[in-house]
Amino acid sequence: MKTTEAPFVQSYIRLTHDAWLKGWHERNGGNLTYRMTDEDVAAVQENLKPASEWLPIGVEVKNLANEYFLVSGTGRFMRNVILDPAANIGIIKVDEQGLNYQIMWGLEGAGRPTSELPSHLLSHSLKKDLTNGANRIIYHAHPTNIIALTFVLPLEDKAFTRELWEMATEDAIVFPEGIGVVPWMVPGGAEIARESARLFKKYNIVIWAHHGMFVCGKSFDEAFSNMDTAEKAAEICVKVLSMGGKKQTISAENLKQLAKDFKVQLNEEFLD
């Protein structure tokens, strides 16, 4: 089949379009990578041909050797993915050492994968091991309210987690492990990639201060909903702060009761 007709590519396109409509991707902001299954590769194998030389990833990801990824392009606009997928996204393959990649499809017009590929692949490498291969998505966007809160809340995991847990009853169920926060760092390099991966050992949602948010997921729906849930909580928080702050809230005891009834394990560090 045509690559753009494959179900995993259609799911990728749907996420990018939904996220554009949410306002999370101004200009060329944000990026999305999907670790393909063997079935995905087989479905489009006839269209996969080396379209570039081997290029350095910038980090070592041995456990991703010979794996294929559907990735967004650097400098490409998320709003254009639905209009011309082959120009704005592409499929890459990691080499046998986990050090280099090769473009196999797409990114037409001398395109390259997202400049934040090191952060994505290092996070994929970590989450693959932690989830026994179940995690497939790493997604980065620029949701407005999350970014706004990084200017007023302490840049600490506990501070962000408790504020967002308290903003809506369901939030603690969606991200019971909490949320990690990376202080401002220059994006795109190995340093921020390693710091993000360190936090992904504990969390599925990581905030980059004054920049945006990274999330992971086993499916496109899970990754999108992690981003959406955290951003909606942030929007509520921004509105609460603008109205003078909380007069009442969901208490630690309330959260513990919620966790008991819904059979989730909340991060105990954030309950005192």
Side-chain angles (χ1 to χ4, degrees):
M1 69 174 69
K2 290 178 60 177
T3 301
T4 53
E5 294 174 355
F8 72 96
V9 179
Q10 286 295 306
S11 294
Y12 187 108
I13 293 169
R14 181 192 174 197
L15 188 156
T16 61
H17 186 58
D18 286 350
W20 159 252
L21 295 177
K22 286 279 190 179
W24 299 343
H25 294 285
E26 77 292 339
R27 205 172 182 273
N28 61 317
N31 25 76
L32 173 65
T33 57
Y34 167 68
R35 184 168 59 86
M36 295 165 58
T37 66
D38 291 343
E39 291 76 17
D40 294 331
V41 176
V44 299
Q45 187 71 63
E46 63 187 42
N47 307 316
L48 301 180
K49 300 174 183 178
S52 74
E53 69 278 15
W54 291 104
L55 301 166
I57 296 169
V59 293
E60 185 176 1
V61 286
K62 288 183 178 179
N63 66 335
L64 300 181
N66 297 312
E67 295 232 35
Y68 291 80
F69 292 83
L70 181 59
V71 304
S72 52
T74 187
R76 306 300 166 96
F77 294 10
M78 206 68 86
R79 70 187 295 257
N80 291 335
V81 172
I82 195 171
L83 302 176
D84 190 353
N88 292 283
I89 63 178
I91 293 174
I92 65 170
K93 181 182 180 181
V94 176
D95 70 4
E96 292 183 355
Q97 290 76 41
L99 292 172
N100 304 287
Y101 73 89
Q102 192 173 48
I103 298 171
M104 302 296 290
W105 173 86
L107 295 172
E108 294 174 351
R112 288 287 183 267
T114 168
S115 61
E116 286 162 354
L117 189 65
S119 294
H120 278 256
L121 292 189
L122 202 58
S123 297
H124 272 291
S125 174
L126 175 77
K127 285 296 186 181
K128 179 182 178 182
D129 283 347
L130 289 177
T131 66
N132 197 28
N135 191 84
R136 293 279 168 186
I137 311 282
I138 300 292
Y139 174 39
H140 170 53
H142 299 168
T144 303
N145 295 285
I146 282 286
I147 296 172
L149 287 182
T150 66
F151 290 94
V152 296
L153 293 183
L155 299 178
E156 301 167 355
D157 301 358
K158 181 176 180 179
F160 257 88
T161 297
R162 276 304 296 268
E163 284 295 333
L164 298 188
W165 274 356
E166 293 176 26
M167 291 302 105
T169 297
E170 294 85 354
D171 292 349
I173 301 168
V174 174
F175 45 94
E177 68 284 343
I179 288 177
V181 182
V182 176
W184 189 89
M185 301 173 71
V186 176
E191 184 181 6
I192 196 168
R194 293 189 182 97
E195 181 61 16
S196 301
R198 182 185 70 82
L199 290 175
F200 267 137
K201 290 179 181 178
K202 298 191 290 183
Y203 309 115
N204 292 317
I205 300 173
V206 172
I207 293 169
W208 282 6
H210 322 319
H211 183 154
M213 186 160 47
F214 260 85
V215 301
C216 62
K218 299 179 182 68
S219 66
F220 288 100
D221 281 346
E222 184 176 77
F224 183 87
S225 63
N226 282 344
M227 185 77 69
D228 198 20
T229 302
E231 169 61 1
K232 184 167 186 178
E235 180 181 2
I236 296 168
C237 188
V238 167
K239 291 180 178 180
V240 169
L241 292 171
S242 73
M243 294 186 289
K246 292 177 283 188
K247 304 299 187 293
Q248 54 274 326
T249 190
I250 302 172
S251 68
E253 288 305 313
N254 294 152
L255 290 169
K256 290 176 184 177
Q257 186 61 51
L258 183 72
K260 180 181 178 182
D261 287 1
F262 279 84
K263 297 179 175 55
V264 297
Q265 182 63 51
L266 290 181
N267 190 331
E268 294 287 338
E269 297 176 46
F270 303 153
L271 287 174
D272 56 21

